[in-house]
Amino acid sequence: MAVRRWNEAVDGAPTEAALRAKLEALGYTVARYAYEPGTVFPDHTHGVDKIDAVISGRFRLVVGGHLAMLGPGDWVEVPRGAVHSATVMGDEPVVSLDAIKL
């Protein structure tokens, strides 16, 4: 699992609008979510290809047994059918963009 990190030199300031535009340009439909500290999503799957992107906060993501810590501007592709879980880390809520490709 490759963590994509925001490259300010190439992509400009890491804003919600810029991250959304980048994901939409890749052909994804994007929704915004906020998760409180302590939120845990146990192992699950989706029937679509998706991206989990972080606007603020820290997200611990495990996809297919591979661990990634995501912070602002980071994102990970989660293939359809991949077993994955997520946990909000720390005392700050996670604001994320959930992008799906239909």
Side-chain angles (χ1 to χ4, degrees):
M1 161 182 54
V3 175
R4 307 290 175 107
R5 308 240 184 244
W6 191 261
N7 183 340
E8 201 163 331
V10 174
D11 299 315
T15 65
E16 179 177 343
L19 185 52
R20 176 184 290 273
K22 186 174 194 75
L23 297 175
E24 288 174 345
L26 293 171
Y28 287 82
T29 301
V30 180
R32 180 185 191 272
Y33 293 96
Y35 306 113
E36 292 301 314
T39 300
V40 175
F41 298 94
D43 282 348
H44 63 284
T45 63
H46 298 280
V48 295
D49 293 323
K50 67 182 296 254
I51 287 175
D52 283 322
V54 174
I55 298 165
S56 63
R58 291 178 16 108
F59 225 2
R60 178 183 185 271
L61 209 65
V62 178
V63 180
H66 300 279
L67 171 66
M69 293 297 291
L70 304 181
D74 297 341
W75 52 280
V76 145
E77 294 180 41
V78 181
R80 84 181 60 220
V83 175
H84 61 286
S85 63
T87 304
V88 174
M89 303 301 293
D91 297 329
E92 182 182 349
V94 165
V95 178
S96 73
L97 296 180
D98 190 60
I100 61 169
K101 192 174 270 189
L102 301 176

